[in-house]
Structures are given as structure tokens and as C-alpha cells.
Amino acid sequence: MEIVKTTEDIKSVVNNTIESGKIELINSTITFCGEGNILVLEDGVKLVNSNIRFESDNSLIYLSSCYWGYSLEIQIYKNCVCSFGKNNYINARMSLIIGEGMNFFCGKESLFAREVKIRTSDHHLIYDIDSMKRINYGKSVYLGDHIWLADGCRIFKGSMIGSGSIIGAGATITNKVIGSNEMWAGTKRIKKKVCFLSASPLKDYGAELEKYDELDNNKYIYSEEGQIISFTDIEEKLQVMNVNDKKQYIKELYQNTSKNLFYIKSL
């Protein structure tokens, strides 16, 4: 087992790899229980009150540079990926359990409120009594760019959420494909063709707030224009790559500046 609590501890890691720029570790612990894992911490990453555990071998966690600190509780098992693009805002510690060789992928500039949970697998095995076969296999979770997950969201296995969407407080999303610029509450879609700004109406009032009455640009309205990469295609590629190839592929995806890269058409 290899444990990292300070940037100096990174030098002592032998059986795993930490690739880091100028980073900060604040009240945070990284634990490697296996071998052959890779942790990428881009320049400017700050881990705050985080607990990251590699429970087995050959997995990848990729944390892109961020204006704010990452506050994460991650358990990642064998042959999995957990990745965040640039400048995602995490209000309070976010909980992720990634297992069964599945993946969690998140684009850039999303908002994660308190008590958000991500799971790629159930905690226990479930079988159909007639066939005696297992029926609850794990599935990966994919999030596009500029998504808002409100307080207490649960995003479970098989979920794919297109760029620009909003998931309301307390919602549970499982095995659903959510189009770009949609709003969901509970387990249902309540509106198409919406977008949001990170500006808060709590901070302004009167004339200061009136300037937001109409949207004056389409920055967060996503469409079929330009390059689009489907989450299904990303998943197929990750499933046949080794951990080093996964790292390079994730890096290339995050370097792609196409606005609509993770667009999903509403049905």
C-alpha cells in the first residue's frame, strides 16, 4: 500500500504513477491499494478535504486544472477511469464509486452542489430467479460540458447527460440518456430547450438583477454544429485500451475545443 498526504510523499510512490504539475494537497489523502494505477493532477489542481482510494490495479484518475479546489471522495476499482475536465465547481465533497471496469467521464465547467453521488455499479448482486442469471451489471456514467447537478443528485449507472442540462435537487438518474439543454426533476424531464448561467440571483436584486432578464448570447446553447463525439464511442474505445492509452486519449479529448463535442440530441 502506498499513501500520499503531502506533495513530498509523491516522490515515494513506486508501484503506481502520479503525474503532477504545481498542485496543493490540503487535508487530503491518496491511497494506492494496488499497482499500475495512474493519477494525473494537472497544474493548478488543489485537493481539499479529499480522500482518493485506488482499491485495485490499472485504473486512471485524471483531474484537469481548475480555478477552485477539488473536494472528492473517490473509490475506484480495477481497470476503471474517473476523469474531470477543466474548471468544474464542486460546492462540497462529491462522492464517486467507480467499479466493474466501468468509467466516469465529465467535461468542463459544470456545477456540482452538495451531496452529489456518482455510482457505476450497485453495491450488491441481483439475480433473476427464473433464469438464475445476474441482472444488475455495471455501466459507465458520462457528463458533458456546463451541466448543473443540484443538491443531493444521484447519478447512477448507464447515465449519459448532454452538455448544458440541469438536474434538479434530489433527482435520481439511472440508465437514462438526457439530451443537451434539458431540465430534469425527480426521475423525469420537465422541459427542453433551457440553459443556465452560473450567476446567482441571490446576490443581486432590483436593477442589478434586471440585467439578466434576457439572455444576450448563445454561449451555453448546444447544437449539432461542428465536431461531436458520442459517449458510446468514447466508452467503446476506453474498454479496449490499456491504462496508459486511456490517459493519452482522455488528455486529447480535453484538449479538443469544439463547443458541441458532447452534444446529445433531445428525443
Side-chain angles (χ1 to χ4, degrees), residues 14-55:
V14 176
N15 297 317
N16 300 277
T17 301
I18 298 179
E19 298 182 9
S20 62
K22 185 177 181 180
I23 64 167
E24 294 182 65
L25 302 180
I26 301 172
N27 192 33
S28 296
T29 302
I30 302 161
T31 303
F32 295 98
C33 300
E35 299 181 353
N37 300 289
I38 299 176
L39 172 61
V40 177
L41 304 173
E42 286 191 346
D43 204 41
V45 166
K46 181 190 299 183
L47 289 177
V48 182
N49 299 325
S50 292
N51 185 22
I52 296 175
R53 288 183 61 89
F54 290 84
E55 300 286 2

Side-chain angles (χ1 to χ4, degrees), residues 1-4 6-16:
M1 181 179 291
E2 297 176 317
I3 298 175
V4 174
T6 69
T7 53
E8 283 297 311
D9 293 338
I10 292 175
K11 300 174 183 177
S12 66
V13 174
V14 176
N15 297 317
N16 300 277

Side-chain angles (χ1 to χ4, degrees), residues 2 21 43 69 86 124 126 145 190 193 203 232 257:
E2 297 176 317
D43 204 41
K86 293 182 184 296
H124 305 286
I126 301 174
D145 297 329
I190 58 175
K193 296 185 177 180
K203 297 179 180 179
T232 300
T257 58

Side-chain angles (χ1 to χ4, degrees), residues 107-227:
K108 64 180 183 294
E109 298 176 2
S110 288
L111 304 179
F112 298 98
R114 297 174 178 85
E115 299 183 12
V116 170
K117 294 185 177 181
I118 307 291
R119 302 286 187 270
T120 66
S121 303
D122 299 327
H123 286 281
H124 305 286
L125 302 172
I126 301 174
Y127 294 85
D128 176 79
I129 291 175
D130 291 329
S131 67
M132 302 297 284
K133 293 183 178 180
R134 186 182 171 196
I135 59 174
N136 68 329
Y137 290 96
K139 294 182 179 180
S140 296
V141 173
Y142 284 85
L143 308 179
D145 297 329
H146 190 69
I147 289 168
W148 177 10
L149 300 187
D151 286 359
C153 281
R154 272 59 172 159
I155 311 298
F156 293 156
K157 61 182 184 178
S159 299
M160 296 183 178
I161 303 177
S163 297
S165 286
I166 303 165
I167 310 299
T172 298
I173 306 297
T174 304
N175 205 34
K176 287 186 171 64
V177 177
I178 295 176
S180 290
N181 296 114
E182 294 186 359
M183 182 162 56
W184 285 60
T187 59
K188 298 180 179 180
R189 181 175 63 199
I190 58 175
K191 188 170 176 53
K192 297 181 183 180
K193 296 185 177 180
V194 298
C195 66
F196 72 93
L197 301 180
S198 60
S200 173
L202 302 176
K203 297 179 180 179
D204 295 319
Y205 62 93
E208 286 298 313
L209 191 57
E210 288 174 4
K211 65 184 180 182
Y212 294 110
D213 283 350
E214 291 188 17
L215 195 63
D216 61 2
N217 63 76
N218 65 353
K219 181 178 180 180
Y220 299 119
I221 300 171
Y222 297 89
S223 71
E224 295 177 293
E225 294 182 5
Q227 185 182 8

